[in-house]
Coordinates of all heavy atoms in Angstrom, one line a residue:
F1 N 0.8 -1.2 0.0 CA 0.0 0.0 0.0 C 0.9 1.2 0.0 O 1.8 1.4 0.8 CB -0.9 0.0 1.2 CG -2.0 0.9 1.1 CD1 -3.2 0.6 0.5 CD2 -2.0 2.2 1.7 CE1 -4.3 1.4 0.4 CE2 -3.0 3.1 1.7 CZ -4.2 2.7 1.0
P2 N 0.6 2.2 -0.9 CA 1.4 3.4 -0.9 C 1.4 4.2 0.4 O 0.3 4.6 0.8 CB 0.8 4.2 -2.1 CG 0.0 3.3 -2.9 CD -0.4 2.2 -1.9
I3 N 2.5 4.5 0.9 CA 2.5 5.2 2.2 C 1.9 6.6 2.2 O 1.2 7.0 3.1 CB 4.0 5.3 2.8 CG1 4.0 5.8 4.2 CG2 4.8 6.2 1.9 CD1 5.3 5.6 4.9
E4 N 2.0 7.3 1.1 CA 1.4 8.6 1.0 C -0.2 8.6 1.0 O -0.8 9.6 1.4 CB 1.8 9.3 -0.3 CG 1.5 8.6 -1.6 CD 2.5 7.6 -2.1 OE1 3.5 7.3 -1.4 OE2 2.2 7.0 -3.1
K5 N -0.8 7.4 0.8 CA -2.2 7.3 0.9 C -2.7 7.1 2.3 O -3.9 7.1 2.5 CB -2.7 6.2 -0.1 CG -2.6 6.6 -1.5 CD -3.3 5.6 -2.4 CE -3.3 6.0 -3.9 NZ -4.0 5.1 -4.7
L6 N -1.8 6.8 3.2 CA -2.2 6.6 4.6 C -2.5 7.8 5.4 O -3.2 7.8 6.4 CB -1.1 5.8 5.3 CG -0.9 4.3 4.8 CD1 0.3 3.7 5.5 CD2 -2.1 3.5 5.2
Y7 N -1.9 8.9 4.9 CA -2.0 10.2 5.7 C -3.5 10.6 5.9 O -4.2 10.7 4.9 CB -1.2 11.3 5.0 CG -1.2 12.6 5.8 CD1 -0.4 12.7 6.9 CD2 -2.2 13.6 5.6 CE1 -0.4 13.9 7.7 CE2 -2.2 14.7 6.4 CZ -1.3 14.9 7.4 OH -1.3 16.0 8.2
G8 N -3.9 10.7 7.1 CA -5.3 11.2 7.4 C -6.3 10.1 7.3 O -7.5 10.3 7.7
E9 N -5.9 8.9 6.9 CA -6.9 7.8 6.8 C -7.0 7.1 8.1 O -6.1 7.0 8.9 CB -6.4 6.8 5.8 CG -6.4 7.3 4.3 CD -7.8 7.7 3.8 OE1 -8.8 6.9 4.2 OE2 -7.9 8.7 3.1
V10 N -8.2 6.6 8.4 CA -8.4 5.8 9.6 C -8.1 4.3 9.2 O -8.6 3.8 8.3 CB -9.9 5.9 10.1 CG1 -10.1 4.9 11.3 CG2 -10.3 7.3 10.4
V11 N -7.2 3.7 10.0 CA -6.8 2.4 9.7 C -7.1 1.5 10.9 O -6.7 1.8 12.1 CB -5.2 2.3 9.5 CG1 -4.8 0.9 9.2 CG2 -4.8 3.3 8.4
L12 N -7.9 0.5 10.7 CA -8.3 -0.5 11.7 C -7.3 -1.6 11.8 O -7.0 -2.2 10.9 CB -9.7 -1.1 11.4 CG -10.3 -2.1 12.3 CD1 -10.7 -1.4 13.6 CD2 -11.4 -2.8 11.7
V13 N -6.8 -1.8 13.1 CA -5.8 -2.8 13.3 C -6.4 -3.7 14.4 O -6.6 -3.3 15.5 CB -4.4 -2.2 13.8 CG1 -3.5 -3.3 14.1 CG2 -3.9 -1.3 12.8
R14 N -6.5 -5.0 14.0 CA -7.0 -6.0 15.0 C -5.8 -6.6 15.6 O -4.9 -7.1 14.9 CB -7.8 -7.0 14.2 CG -8.6 -8.1 14.9 CD -8.3 -8.5 16.2 NE -9.0 -9.7 16.7 CZ -8.4 -10.4 17.6 NH1 -7.3 -10.0 18.1 NH2 -9.0 -11.4 18.2
L15 N -5.7 -6.6 16.9 CA -4.6 -7.1 17.6 C -5.0 -8.0 18.8 O -6.1 -7.7 19.3 CB -3.5 -6.1 18.0 CG -3.9 -5.2 19.2 CD1 -3.1 -5.5 20.4 CD2 -3.7 -3.7 18.8
D16 N -4.2 -8.9 19.2 CA -4.4 -9.7 20.3 C -3.7 -9.1 21.5 O -2.4 -9.0 21.4 CB -4.0 -11.1 20.1 CG -4.4 -12.1 21.1 OD1 -4.8 -11.6 22.2 OD2 -4.3 -13.3 20.9
S17 N -4.4 -8.7 22.5 CA -3.7 -8.0 23.6 C -2.7 -8.9 24.3 O -1.7 -8.4 24.9 CB -4.7 -7.5 24.7 OG -5.5 -8.6 25.1
V18 N -2.8 -10.2 24.2 CA -1.8 -11.2 24.7 C -0.5 -10.9 24.1 O 0.6 -11.1 24.8 CB -2.3 -12.6 24.5 CG1 -1.3 -13.6 25.0 CG2 -3.6 -12.9 25.2
L19 N -0.4 -10.6 22.8 CA 0.9 -10.3 22.2 C 1.6 -9.2 22.8 O 2.8 -9.3 23.0 CB 0.6 -10.0 20.7 CG 0.2 -11.1 19.8 CD1 0.0 -10.5 18.4 CD2 1.1 -12.3 19.7
L20 N 0.9 -8.2 23.2 CA 1.6 -7.0 23.8 C 1.9 -7.2 25.3 O 2.8 -6.6 25.8 CB 0.8 -5.8 23.5 CG 0.6 -5.3 22.1 CD1 -0.4 -4.2 22.0 CD2 1.9 -5.0 21.4
L21 N 1.0 -7.9 25.9 CA 1.1 -7.9 27.4 C 1.4 -9.2 28.0 O 1.3 -9.4 29.2 CB -0.3 -7.4 27.9 CG -0.6 -6.0 27.4 CD1 -2.1 -5.7 27.8 CD2 0.3 -5.0 27.9
D22 N 1.9 -10.2 27.2 CA 2.2 -11.5 27.7 C 3.4 -11.4 28.7 O 4.5 -10.9 28.3 CB 2.6 -12.4 26.5 CG 3.1 -13.7 27.0 OD1 2.5 -14.3 28.0 OD2 4.1 -14.2 26.4
P23 N 3.2 -11.7 29.9 CA 4.2 -11.5 30.9 C 5.4 -12.4 30.7 O 6.5 -12.2 31.2 CB 3.5 -11.8 32.3 CG 2.4 -12.7 31.9 CD 1.9 -12.3 30.5
L24 N 5.2 -13.5 30.0 CA 6.3 -14.5 29.8 C 7.1 -14.2 28.6 O 8.2 -14.8 28.4 CB 5.8 -15.9 29.8 CG 5.0 -16.4 31.0 CD1 4.4 -17.8 30.8 CD2 5.9 -16.4 32.2
G25 N 6.7 -13.3 27.7 CA 7.4 -12.9 26.5 C 7.4 -14.0 25.5 O 8.3 -14.1 24.7
L26 N 6.4 -14.9 25.5 CA 6.4 -16.0 24.5 C 6.2 -15.6 23.1 O 6.5 -16.3 22.2 CB 5.3 -17.0 24.9 CG 5.5 -17.7 26.3 CD1 4.3 -18.6 26.6 CD2 6.8 -18.6 26.3
F27 N 5.6 -14.4 23.0 CA 5.3 -13.9 21.6 C 6.1 -12.7 21.3 O 5.6 -11.8 20.6 CB 3.8 -13.5 21.6 CG 2.9 -14.6 22.0 CD1 2.2 -14.7 23.2 CD2 2.6 -15.7 21.1 CE1 1.4 -15.7 23.5 CE2 1.8 -16.7 21.4 CZ 1.1 -16.7 22.6
S28 N 7.3 -12.6 21.7 CA 8.2 -11.4 21.5 C 8.4 -11.1 20.0 O 8.4 -9.9 19.7 CB 9.5 -11.6 22.2 OG 10.2 -12.6 21.7
C29 N 8.5 -12.1 19.1 CA 8.7 -11.8 17.7 C 7.4 -11.2 17.1 O 7.4 -10.2 16.4 CB 9.0 -13.1 17.0 SG 9.4 -12.8 15.2
S30 N 6.2 -11.8 17.5 CA 5.0 -11.2 17.0 C 4.7 -9.8 17.6 O 4.2 -9.0 17.0 CB 3.8 -12.2 17.5 OG 3.9 -13.4 16.8
R31 N 5.1 -9.6 18.9 CA 5.0 -8.3 19.5 C 5.7 -7.3 18.8 O 5.2 -6.2 18.5 CB 5.4 -8.4 21.0 CG 5.4 -7.1 21.7 CD 5.9 -7.2 23.1 NE 6.2 -8.6 23.4 CZ 6.2 -9.1 24.6 NH1 5.9 -8.4 25.6 NH2 6.4 -10.4 24.9
K32 N 7.0 -7.6 18.4 CA 7.8 -6.6 17.6 C 7.1 -6.3 16.3 O 7.1 -5.1 15.9 CB 9.2 -7.2 17.4 CG 10.0 -7.2 18.7 CD 11.4 -7.8 18.4 CE 12.2 -8.0 19.7 NZ 13.4 -8.7 19.5
R33 N 6.6 -7.3 15.6 CA 6.0 -7.0 14.3 C 4.7 -6.2 14.5 O 4.4 -5.3 13.7 CB 5.6 -8.3 13.6 CG 6.8 -9.0 13.0 CD 6.4 -10.1 12.1 NE 5.6 -11.1 12.8 CZ 5.9 -12.3 13.1 NH1 7.1 -12.8 12.8 NH2 5.0 -13.1 13.7
T34 N 3.9 -6.5 15.5 CA 2.7 -5.7 15.8 C 3.0 -4.3 16.1 O 2.4 -3.4 15.6 CB 1.9 -6.4 17.0 OG1 1.6 -7.7 16.7 CG2 0.7 -5.6 17.3
L35 N 4.0 -4.0 17.0 CA 4.3 -2.7 17.4 C 4.9 -1.9 16.2 O 4.7 -0.7 16.0 CB 5.3 -2.7 18.5 CG 4.7 -3.1 19.9 CD1 5.8 -3.2 20.9 CD2 3.6 -2.2 20.3
S36 N 5.7 -2.6 15.4 CA 6.3 -2.0 14.2 C 5.2 -1.6 13.2 O 5.3 -0.5 12.6 CB 7.2 -3.1 13.5 OG 7.7 -2.6 12.3
T37 N 4.2 -2.4 13.0 CA 3.0 -2.0 12.1 C 2.3 -0.8 12.7 O 2.0 0.1 11.9 CB 2.0 -3.2 12.0 OG1 2.7 -4.3 11.4 CG2 0.8 -2.8 11.2
I38 N 2.0 -0.8 14.0 CA 1.3 0.3 14.6 C 2.1 1.6 14.4 O 1.6 2.7 14.0 CB 1.0 0.1 16.0 CG1 0.0 -1.1 16.1 CG2 0.4 1.3 16.7 CD1 -0.2 -1.7 17.5
K39 N 3.4 1.5 14.7 CA 4.3 2.7 14.6 C 4.4 3.2 13.1 O 4.4 4.4 12.9 CB 5.7 2.4 15.1 CG 5.8 2.3 16.6 CD 7.2 1.9 17.0 CE 7.3 1.7 18.5 NZ 8.7 1.3 18.9
Y40 N 4.5 2.3 12.2 CA 4.6 2.6 10.8 C 3.3 3.4 10.4 O 3.4 4.5 9.7 CB 4.7 1.3 10.0 CG 4.7 1.6 8.5 CD1 5.8 2.0 7.8 CD2 3.5 1.4 7.7 CE1 5.8 2.2 6.4 CE2 3.5 1.6 6.4 CZ 4.6 2.0 5.7 OH 4.6 2.2 4.4
L41 N 2.1 2.9 10.7 CA 0.9 3.6 10.4 C 0.8 4.9 11.0 O 0.4 5.9 10.4 CB -0.3 2.7 10.8 CG -0.5 1.4 10.1 CD1 -1.5 0.5 10.8 CD2 -0.9 1.7 8.6
Y42 N 1.2 5.0 12.3 CA 1.2 6.3 13.0 C 2.1 7.3 12.4 O 1.7 8.5 12.2 CB 1.5 6.0 14.5 CG 1.5 7.3 15.3 CD1 0.3 7.9 15.7 CD2 2.7 7.9 15.7 CE1 0.3 9.0 16.5 CE2 2.7 9.1 16.5 CZ 1.4 9.6 16.9 OH 1.4 10.7 17.6
K43 N 3.3 6.9 12.1 CA 4.3 7.8 11.5 C 3.9 8.3 10.1 O 4.3 9.3 9.7 CB 5.7 7.2 11.5 CG 6.3 7.1 12.9 CD 7.7 6.5 12.9 CE 8.2 6.5 14.4 NZ 9.5 5.9 14.4
A44 N 3.1 7.4 9.4 CA 2.7 7.7 8.1 C 1.5 8.7 8.1 O 1.1 9.2 7.1 CB 2.3 6.5 7.3
G45 N 1.0 9.1 9.3 CA 0.0 10.0 9.4 C -1.4 9.4 9.5 O -2.4 10.1 9.4
G46 N -1.5 8.1 9.6 CA -2.7 7.4 9.7 C -3.3 7.5 11.1 O -2.6 7.7 12.1
K47 N -4.6 7.5 11.2 CA -5.3 7.5 12.5 C -5.6 6.0 12.8 O -6.4 5.4 12.2 CB -6.6 8.3 12.4 CG -6.3 9.7 12.1 CD -7.6 10.5 11.8 CE -7.2 11.9 11.4 NZ -8.4 12.6 11.0

């Protein structure tokens, strides 16, 4: 998806809260990808 088209757009991201808040860190790779996606969308100007 072209990054310039994300600016100002509302982007729905479905995430599993276990990935972010798992106290044992079993999903650390998935957590990094999830956070990376959210940060990418945010920095591109997406809501």
Side-chain angles (χ1 to χ4, degrees):
F1 196 83
I3 192 169
E4 61 274 1
K5 289 189 176 183
L6 291 172
Y7 185 81
E9 294 295 323
V10 176
V11 182
L12 179 73
V13 176
R14 189 339 190 156
L15 71 110
D16 188 346
S17 56
V18 175
L19 290 178
L20 296 176
L21 303 171
D22 174 41
L24 301 175
L26 298 174
F27 303 104
S28 62
C29 187
S30 294
R31 178 185 349 212
K32 288 177 186 176
R33 285 192 306 249
T34 300
L35 291 174
S36 175
T37 297
I38 295 168
K39 287 178 183 180
Y40 176 82
L41 293 168
Y42 180 76
K43 288 180 180 180
K47 297 174 184 170

